[in-house]
Structure formats: structure tokens, C-alpha cells
Amino acid sequence: MSKISQALGSKYQENKLSILTRKFTIGDYTAKVRVPNVKEMEVIYEYFKNPNEDDVEKTYQQLLSLLTAEELEEVTKTGMVGGRSLRETAKNKTVIQYRIVEYIKFLIPENGESLADLEYSDVEEEYPFAIQLALVDKIHEVISPEYKEIHAK
């Protein structure tokens, strides 16, 4: 129990989840989101700056497997496909998938199950990419410090 929790007492303890919960609607569904603490967000932002190299390499290998023989030859010579760095593409894809998963983990399940072991393949199976991005945008909107301003509009 934190110093603040101790100081504010049992009523605070009983209502802490409601204080740290915000809602948004997507389609006809109203989702509840747990507002993360500063350390949780710092971990996510740190990953954006320095993604796990093993994850990037795995994505890179997946991208390589999708290339045609001509594209593979181009990557071998230049590291690029169509003027773009395949390694940078792998890094960007890894970061966006990480962000999607970590933000969806902030959703509060209605049935009490945990999303702690959620993987991108689970998200990809459930939602098209456009919906994944819409979810992340909605979650970001309600957990951001500017929420009051956005909510008032």
C-alpha cells in the first residue's frame, strides 16, 4: 500500500479502481480503460526508442520471407526494397505492434480475465489493422493528460 493510499484511507482503497478508470465508446461498445502510472508509460516510450533487437530481427526475417526473388536480391545488395530500408521497416512494424498490444492491455476485461499474456497474434486475429489503430487512438485519448480537454469537446 502506498503512502497516499494509507493517508486517504479505506474509502479511497474501495474506490481507487474507479478513480483510475476511464471509458470510451467504439461502435456500440463502451470500453473501460485503466489509466497507467508514469512508470508503465515510461517503459512503453523507452521501447519506442530502443525496441528489443530480437523482436526486430524476428520481424525482419518474417518480412524477408515475403519477398520475391528479385526483391530479395535487392535487399542483399542494398538493404532496401523499393527505396526503403527493410531493417527500418521491421523496426517500425515491431514498435507499432508493441504499442498496440501494450495499449490494449490497459483495457479492463468485463469477465475478470487478464490480458497480461496478450500477444500481437491475438490482436491480429480479432481486429483488422484499421480497428487496431482506432483502438489505440481511443485508448491514448482517454489516458492522456489532456483527457479533460478532449472529453469536454
Side-chain angles (χ1 to χ4, degrees):
M1 188 179 307
S2 74
K3 186 181 260 187
I4 294 173
S5 292
Q6 286 177 334
L8 297 179
S10 63
K11 282 282 193 198
Y12 173 77
Q13 288 295 322
E14 292 170 12
N15 295 294
K16 186 175 178 180
L17 184 59
S18 69
I19 293 168
L20 299 175
T21 301
R22 295 195 176 147
K23 297 177 183 177
F24 70 86
T25 301
I26 187 163
D28 291 331
Y29 179 71
T30 300
K32 292 182 183 179
V33 179
R34 178 183 59 80
V35 178
N37 63 38
V38 173
K39 287 183 182 180
E40 289 174 296
M41 291 308 296
E42 285 174 351
V43 168
I44 291 171
Y45 291 136
E46 183 59 34
Y47 190 93
F48 293 171
K49 294 188 293 187
N50 300 305
N52 180 300
E53 286 303 319
D54 291 339
D55 294 345
V56 174
E57 183 61 28
K58 182 179 175 185
T59 303
Y60 181 76
Q61 293 302 323
Q62 290 170 343
L63 291 173
L64 279 176
S65 72
L66 300 173
L67 299 178
T68 64
E70 297 85 28
E71 291 169 329
L72 193 54
E73 185 176 330
E74 184 180 349
V75 169
T76 304
K77 290 179 183 175
T78 65
M80 314 272 268
V81 174
R84 293 204 150 139
S85 165
L86 191 63
R87 179 94 33 210
E88 191 64 27
T89 300
K91 180 180 176 183
N92 292 339
K93 184 175 180 178
T94 301
V95 167
I96 191 72
Q97 289 177 352
Y98 179 85
R99 181 177 189 213
I100 290 166
V101 169
E102 294 306 309
Y103 272 51
I104 289 176
K105 286 180 181 179
F106 295 141
L107 294 173
I108 299 172
E110 291 182 13
N111 59 9
E113 289 190 26
S114 173
L115 293 174
D117 63 346
L118 186 72
E119 295 183 5
Y120 185 72
S121 59
D122 301 317
V123 176
E124 193 173 38
E125 183 179 315
E126 186 71 22
Y127 303 115
F129 190 66
I131 302 303
Q132 294 173 32
L133 294 178
L135 273 170
V136 168
D137 285 346
K138 290 283 193 178
I139 293 166
H140 180 75
E141 183 179 296
V142 298
I143 67 172
S144 76
E146 296 88 25
Y147 172 71
K148 187 174 185 179
E149 296 169 14
I150 294 168
H151 191 63
K153 291 182 181 178

